[in-house]
């Protein structure tokens, strides 16, 4: 075992030790784990001096590894179950198997007041779980300690003693010896640095030996007090003795100035004077003096500690009492303590000087002026002198003038007369219809600056808006002397016919309103036309009829609030083929013998047709449904308003060709709106219809077939439009007239289709 001197110190290793309290339930058998793991140099006893600093070496030991050569587990060895419990020791690692026990500094090792012996159990464990546990006994050894000062004197003490106090007791020093727990051994006290003004007795009593006078220079003393024990160990402490001055002198003002001139409008908080004083008792330290203003003043305040006088509120030379009297007098009081001390007074005078701080102002900065467009040159628009002023109290600060007018549209139109006078006059043309005035919108913006005549030449801008009032110089007239519009009679209501427009050469253009003052009425419709009052656009209110009224004469009136004008509007109603043929009779019944001769006019029947929008030669006739086997035809088939019904072919009941005895013929009467090629309509065509019933009367000797007659229902659609079936029938008739044979099958196929007319 290696025993080290308890005063030997080592630097702590990087590995921090720990004190852990463990309950060791059992230890694994060394044989089972492969061999012995042993702590070398333990158990052992070591000494350490009291008050040893952290990292003081206590004991060194090593670890003998087991047969398996498993290394010591990280963090081991450790201190466990110390008796008595302590955190004052830890284990540091020196190498893989070498370790040391050192002090931690967490606890004071005090021989006189703490434990003197500690049993530290050192516990080690390797990677395979083999362990060992040994005891290190640490004995704390006594070390002689120097005496110590008690209370505030341990860190140094400052004593205050009033000046002129009689020599005598000042302070009792308190000390003790840590080695003398019973406090029976006396200690010796003394002044390390002797002083003619103080002495100290052996028991630690401090006395003054002279009367301490502050004004004589005895302001403070630095004493070093020493104490010694029986072993000649010493300690020292600083004792500062400060002499307290007595207030017995009147403060004296040291600032030389009593009168000040300051400009108006200095900012609140600006320092305008610095009153200084000194107190002989304080040897010129102004921080001990208190300043105040005794006169009532709302303009100034004084810093009670520094004596600086500052502006408290706005100093306006141009208003109130300062405009009448710019001088302000203050009485300043200085005291050396808040109450019961010494004081002195001084008179301070401030004169507030006028500066040019007010710009020229105007009661109005914006003006709106309306002039007629015929206003004469030299017309006075505005005299700014009636509105502008300067609040500065003294000349020349309260003088101002006006700059030349400028701004959009002001050039060569407005000026000052005389220059700088503020009298704004008209010098140009304001004609509303002048192109240059139109470009400016007949509205002009003029900017004039009112400016001080002295620095800093404050400016204010005055804005004058000049609007030209138009005069009615030109009449309201329509852009045409009259209007003629055409509209088809087939056009529906709300159809746009045309537009009228009235113009006034005056500027700006006024809103023109339009109305129909006369014309455009019928018995059925009081208003056939409507005009948009804002745009002058003419529209139909209802459908017109060329055949009833082909021309309308309207009077349209326009007004702009000042003038009224009217114009004639002629509306021609263009005729269209919108009327279908009307024939008499519209329905007729006839009976004919079965052996009536071909080409006979059946019962002298004839159709007489009229059409309001077609000539008598425009009609074409065709038979639609019911003309079975084409026994009937009309002559003429076209070109006349009168036609006759003829028997076109003989009946053949005996041969079985004919089976029907009652014929119901649907006759189509079409007006002539076909092209010369007769294959396509040029415009709309109109078709009228006539229904004819023809009964064939058999010969008395004829045998009438008793076979039941088929019941056929014909649905006839009557429309005032183009008829595809009529077109198809007309095609068949044309083929017959051209000498082409048309079979009954072709006729049955062609009649119902609507596409035949397009082929």
């Amino acid at each position: 075992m290696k025993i080290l001197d308890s005063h030997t110190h080592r630097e702590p290793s990087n590995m921090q030790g720990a004190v852990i309290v463990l309950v060791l339930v059992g230890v694994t058998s060394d044989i089972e784990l492969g061999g012995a793991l042993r702590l070398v140099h333990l158990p052992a006893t070591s000494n350490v001096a009291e008050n040893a600093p952290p990292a003081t070496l206590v004991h060194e030991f090593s670890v003998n590894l087991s047969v398996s050569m498993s290394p010591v587990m990280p963090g081991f060895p450790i201190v466990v179950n110390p008796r008595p419990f302590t955190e004052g020791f830890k284990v540091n690692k020196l190498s893989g198997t070498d370790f040391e026990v050192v002090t931690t500094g967490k606890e004071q090792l005090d021989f006189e007041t703490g434990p003197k012996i500690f049993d530290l159990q050192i516990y080690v464990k390797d990677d395979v779980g083999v362990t060992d546990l040994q005891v290190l006994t640490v004995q704390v050894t006594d070390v002689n300690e120097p005496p110590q000062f008690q209370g505030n004197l341990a860190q140094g003490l400052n004593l205050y003693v009033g000046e002129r106090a009689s020599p005598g007791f000042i302070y009792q020093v308190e000390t003790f010896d840590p080695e003398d727990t019973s406090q029976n051994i006396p200690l010796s006290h003394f002044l390390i640095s002797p002083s003619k003004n103080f002495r100290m007795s052996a028991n630690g009593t401090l006395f003054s030996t002279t009367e301490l006078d502050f004004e004589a220079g005895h302001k403070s003393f630095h004493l070093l007090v020493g104490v010694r024990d029986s072993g000649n160990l010493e300690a020292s402490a600083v004792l500062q003795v400060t002499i307290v001055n007595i207030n017995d002198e009147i403060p004296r003002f040291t600032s030389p100035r009593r009168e000040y001139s300051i400009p108006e409008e200095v900012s609140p908080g600006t320092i305008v004077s610095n009153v200084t004083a000194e107190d002989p008792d304080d040897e010129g330290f102004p921080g001990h003096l208190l300043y105040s203003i005794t006169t009532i003043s709302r303009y100034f305040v004084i810093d009670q500690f520094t004596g600086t006088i500052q502006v408290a509120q706005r100093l306006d030379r141009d208003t109130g009492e300062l405009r009448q009297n710019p001088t302000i007098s203050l009485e300043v009081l200085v005291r050396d303590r808040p109450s019961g001390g010494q004081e002195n007074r001084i008179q301070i005078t401030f004169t507030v000087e006028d500066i040019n701080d007010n710009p020229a102002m105007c009661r109005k900065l914006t003006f709106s002026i309306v002039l007629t467009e015929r206003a004469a040159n030299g017309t006075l628009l505005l005299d700014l002198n009636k509105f502008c002023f300067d609040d500065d109290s003294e000349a020349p600060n309260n003088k101002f003038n006006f700059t030349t007018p400028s701004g959009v549209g002001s050039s060569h139109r407005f000026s000052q007369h005389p220059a700088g006078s503020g009298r704004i006059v008209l010098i140009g043309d304001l004609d509303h219809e002048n192109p240059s005035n139109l470009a400016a919108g007949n509205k002009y913006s003029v900017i004039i600056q009112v400016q001080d005549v002295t620095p800093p030449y404050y400016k204010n801008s005055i804005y004058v808006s000049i609007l030209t009032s138009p005069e009615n110089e030109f009449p309201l007239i329509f852009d045409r002397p009259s209007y003629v519009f055409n509209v088809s009679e087939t056009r529906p209501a709300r159809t746009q016919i045309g537009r009228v427009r009235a113009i006034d050469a005056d500027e700006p253009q006024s809103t023109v309103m339009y109305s129909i003052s006369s014309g455009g009425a019928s018995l059925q419709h009081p208003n056939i036309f409507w005009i948009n009052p804002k745009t002058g656009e003419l529209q139909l209110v209802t459908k017109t009829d060329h055949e009833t009224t082909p021309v309308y004469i309207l009077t349209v009136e326009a007004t702009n609030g000042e003038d009224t004008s009217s114009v004639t509007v002629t509306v021609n109603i263009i005729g269209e083929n919108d009327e279908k043929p009307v024939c008499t009779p519209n329905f007729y019944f006839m009976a004919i013998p079965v052996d009536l001769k071909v080409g006979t006019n059946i019962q002298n029947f004839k159709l007489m047709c009229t059409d309001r929008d077609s000539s008598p030669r425009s009609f074409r006739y065709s038979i639609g449904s019911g003309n079975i086997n084409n026994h009937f035809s009309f002559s003429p088939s076209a070109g006349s308003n009168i036609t006759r019904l003829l028997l076109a072919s003989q009946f053949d009941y005996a041969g079985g060709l004919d089976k029907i005895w009652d014929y119901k013929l649907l006759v189509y009467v079409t007006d002539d709106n076909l092209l010369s090629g007769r294959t396509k309509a040029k415009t709309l065509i109109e078709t009228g219809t006539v229904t004819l019933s023809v009964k064939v009367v058999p010969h008395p000797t004829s045998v009438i077939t008793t076979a039941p007659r088929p019941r056929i229902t014909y649905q006839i659609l009557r429309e005032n439009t183009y008829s595809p079936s009529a077109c198809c029938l007309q095609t068949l008739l044309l083929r017959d007239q051209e000498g082409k044979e048309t079979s009954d099958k072709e006729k049955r196929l062609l009649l119902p289709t609507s596409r035949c007319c397009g082929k």
Side-chain angles (χ1 to χ4, degrees):
M1 179 185 302
K2 181 179 181 181
I3 305 298
L4 298 178
D5 187 348
S6 62
H7 293 284
T8 303
H9 294 174
R10 293 179 60 89
E11 291 295 324
S13 66
N14 292 333
M15 178 177 179
Q16 296 296 321
V19 177
I20 300 177
V21 178
L22 298 178
V23 178
L24 301 178
V25 177
V27 180
T28 306
S29 172
D30 292 340
I31 298 175
E32 292 176 355
L33 297 177
L37 174 73
R38 291 188 300 104
L39 290 167
V40 182
H41 306 309
L42 288 173
T45 299
S46 294
N47 297 326
V48 62
E50 66 173 328
N51 301 323
T56 299
L57 177 64
V58 178
H59 183 69
E60 288 185 343
F61 65 93
S62 60
V63 176
N64 187 18
L65 301 179
S66 65
V67 175
S68 66
M69 298 302 291
S70 296
V72 174
M73 184 178 293
F76 288 87
I78 58 176
V79 176
V80 299
N81 300 342
R83 292 192 301 271
F85 181 80
T86 181
E87 293 184 353
F89 304 94
K90 67 176 181 178
V91 176
N92 285 343
K93 182 177 180 180
L94 299 176
S95 67
T97 57
D98 295 324
F99 303 91
E100 66 177 0
V101 177
V102 297
T103 58
T104 63
K106 293 183 179 181
E107 294 182 7
Q108 183 76 19
L109 300 177
D110 190 353
F111 182 85
E112 287 77 24
T113 61
K116 297 178 176 56
I117 297 177
F118 296 93
D119 288 332
L120 309 180
Q121 298 189 53
I122 309 301
Y123 177 60
V124 65
K125 185 177 183 181
D126 64 12
D127 281 351
V128 297
V130 179
T131 63
D132 192 12
L133 180 69
Q134 299 295 336
V135 176
L136 173 64
T137 299
V138 179
Q139 296 181 348
V140 180
T141 60
D142 186 25
V143 176
N144 187 23
E145 301 171 83
Q148 298 179 11
F149 289 89
Q150 293 181 349
N152 295 332
L153 190 57
Q155 287 78 34
L157 182 63
N158 195 355
L159 297 178
Y160 293 89
V161 179
E163 68 172 325
R164 298 179 183 175
S166 300
F169 173 82
I170 294 179
Y171 183 71
Q172 177 63 52
V173 176
E174 296 181 358
T175 57
F176 70 96
D177 188 351
E179 304 298 326
D180 183 12
T181 57
S182 60
Q183 299 293 320
N184 293 325
I185 302 176
L187 299 175
S188 177
H189 302 81
F190 53 93
L191 290 176
I192 297 177
S193 55
S195 172
K196 65 177 181 178
N197 298 301
F198 301 94
R199 69 178 181 85
M200 178 167 283
S201 64
N203 64 357
T205 302
L206 179 65
F207 297 92
S208 62
T209 59
T210 61
E211 182 179 280
L212 302 175
D213 185 2
F214 184 88
E215 284 73 25
H218 299 159
K219 296 178 177 59
S220 65
F221 300 90
H222 185 82
L223 304 179
L224 189 61
V225 180
V227 59
R228 183 183 302 113
D229 65 7
S230 58
N232 289 326
L233 290 179
E234 295 183 356
S236 63
V238 174
L239 185 61
Q240 184 76 27
V241 180
T242 300
I243 309 304
V244 179
N245 187 23
I246 295 176
N247 182 25
D248 57 355
E249 297 287 341
I250 296 175
R252 296 191 298 267
F253 287 98
T254 58
S255 51
R257 294 186 61 183
R258 301 291 186 270
E259 296 181 356
Y260 298 87
S261 294
I262 58 175
E264 64 170 328
E265 300 294 354
V266 292
S267 302
T270 301
I271 297 175
V272 294
S273 175
N274 189 15
V275 178
T276 58
E278 64 180 15
D279 187 351
D281 292 320
D282 291 337
E283 288 194 342
F285 292 101
H288 297 280
L289 299 176
L290 299 176
Y291 300 87
S292 62
I293 297 175
T294 60
T295 52
I296 298 176
S297 174
R298 57 192 177 94
Y299 293 109
F300 300 98
V301 292
I302 191 168
D303 188 305
Q304 66 172 339
F305 299 109
T306 65
T308 56
I309 298 177
Q310 297 174 296
V311 177
Q313 69 175 45
R314 180 185 179 192
L315 292 170
D316 188 358
R317 173 70 174 80
D318 309 311
T319 60
E321 59 188 23
L322 292 181
R323 190 178 185 94
Q324 304 300 324
N325 182 13
T327 301
I328 303 172
S329 295
L330 305 177
E331 183 184 73
V332 177
L333 171 68
V334 61
R335 294 175 295 175
D336 57 10
R337 63 179 57 179
S339 62
Q342 304 294 332
E343 63 182 37
N344 202 352
R345 300 169 188 267
I346 191 175
Q347 201 76 19
I348 302 293
T349 300
F350 294 98
T351 300
V352 181
E353 297 179 344
D354 181 48
I355 64 172
N356 184 21
D357 61 324
N358 289 309
M361 298 296 295
C362 300
R363 287 189 295 273
K364 288 180 62 177
L365 292 176
T366 58
F367 297 86
S368 294
I369 299 174
V370 178
L371 287 177
T372 62
E373 61 177 319
R374 296 180 183 178
N377 283 353
T379 300
L380 177 64
L381 279 67
L382 181 65
D383 187 354
L384 294 175
N385 287 291
K386 296 180 180 179
F387 301 92
C388 300
F389 57 92
D390 192 326
D391 274 339
D392 285 312
S393 59
E394 297 179 0
N397 295 332
N398 56 7
K399 302 299 180 182
F400 56 88
N401 56 23
F402 300 93
T403 62
T404 302
S406 63
V408 177
S410 66
S411 177
H412 307 299
R413 290 187 177 95
F414 310 100
S415 182
Q416 286 192 73
H417 183 74
S421 64
R423 290 171 50 85
I424 312 303
V425 297
L426 174 66
I427 62 171
D429 171 31
L430 297 181
D431 183 12
H432 250 257
E433 290 70 44
N434 186 316
S436 64
N437 294 341
L438 280 174
N442 289 296
K443 185 176 182 180
Y444 314 98
S445 297
V446 177
I447 302 175
I448 304 166
Q449 288 185 332
V450 55
Q451 176 178 291
D452 286 347
V453 299
T454 57
Y457 303 107
Y458 289 116
K459 296 179 181 180
N460 255 325
S461 295
I462 303 170
Y463 301 90
V464 183
S465 176
I466 303 170
L467 180 64
T468 304
S469 172
E471 296 183 277
N472 189 13
E473 301 176 271
F474 301 96
L476 178 67
I477 59 174
F478 285 89
D479 61 355
R480 300 182 194 174
S482 64
Y483 296 86
V484 178
F485 300 123
N486 298 322
V487 62
S488 171
E489 66 175 330
T490 60
R491 299 303 297 167
R494 302 183 69 85
T495 296
Q496 297 178 3
I497 298 173
R499 182 179 178 183
V500 300
R501 183 176 178 227
I503 302 173
D504 185 352
D506 286 309
E507 292 292 343
Q509 291 286 325
S510 301
T511 300
V512 179
M513 302 298 290
Y514 300 91
S515 63
I516 299 173
S517 60
S518 65
S522 67
L523 294 177
Q524 294 81 12
H525 301 285
N527 295 301
I528 297 175
F529 304 94
W530 174 81
I531 192 168
N532 189 314
K534 294 183 179 180
T535 65
E537 186 179 84
L538 196 64
Q539 297 181 5
L540 285 175
V541 174
T542 183
K543 187 176 179 181
T544 59
D545 184 14
H546 170 79
E547 288 71 30
T548 302
T549 306
V551 178
Y552 290 92
I553 306 298
L554 311 178
T555 300
V556 174
E557 188 176 89
T559 180
N560 60 1
E562 294 181 337
D563 294 334
T564 300
S565 181
S566 60
V567 70
T568 299
V569 178
T570 300
V571 181
N572 294 318
I573 309 302
I574 306 301
E576 300 285 353
N577 184 30
D578 62 338
E579 299 283 348
K580 66 180 180 178
V582 177
C583 301
T584 58
N586 188 47
F587 176 81
Y588 198 76
F589 176 80
M590 293 170 282
I592 61 173
V594 69
D595 55 355
L596 184 67
K597 187 178 180 179
V598 174
T600 301
N601 180 192
I602 299 174
Q603 292 186 356
N604 292 321
F605 175 80
K606 64 180 179 180
L607 281 178
M608 298 183 66
C609 300
T610 60
D611 190 335
R612 297 178 65 189
D613 54 12
S614 299
S615 70
R617 296 185 178 184
S618 66
F619 299 108
R620 296 182 182 275
Y621 307 93
S622 59
I623 302 174
S625 62
N627 193 13
I628 308 302
N629 293 331
N630 297 319
H631 288 299
F632 307 97
S633 66
F634 282 96
S635 179
S637 62
S640 175
N641 66 325
I642 300 175
T643 186
R644 291 171 173 79
L645 181 65
L646 304 180
L647 183 63
S649 63
Q650 190 69 47
F651 296 105
D652 184 7
Y653 291 100
L657 176 63
D658 294 313
K659 300 181 184 297
I660 298 174
W661 295 88
D662 293 312
Y663 292 87
K664 192 170 185 179
L665 305 178
L666 180 62
V667 180
Y668 293 102
V669 183
T670 304
D671 55 15
D672 190 7
N673 282 291
L674 299 178
L675 298 172
S676 59
R678 301 190 180 190
T679 59
K680 186 176 181 182
K682 180 179 180 181
T683 60
L684 291 176
I685 64 172
E686 297 292 342
T687 301
T689 59
V690 175
T691 303
L692 301 179
S693 293
V694 181
K695 181 177 180 59
V696 180
V697 179
H699 194 274
T701 60
S702 300
V703 179
I704 301 175
T705 304
T706 61
R709 296 170 64 183
R711 296 174 62 87
I712 301 175
T713 301
Y714 295 92
Q715 184 176 2
I716 300 171
L717 178 64
R718 296 185 181 183
E719 295 182 357
N720 188 18
T721 58
Y722 169 74
S723 172
S725 60
C727 175
C728 293
L729 181 57
Q730 184 66 35
T731 301
L732 293 176
L733 294 175
L734 291 174
R735 289 169 60 89
D736 289 342
Q737 292 175 5
E738 292 171 0
K740 297 179 180 179
E741 292 292 331
T742 304
S743 66
D744 293 339
K745 183 177 181 181
E746 288 177 331
K747 294 175 182 178
R748 287 194 296 271
L749 291 173
L750 289 171
L751 284 174
T753 180
S754 62
R755 297 180 296 170
C756 61
C757 292
K759 297 185 178 180

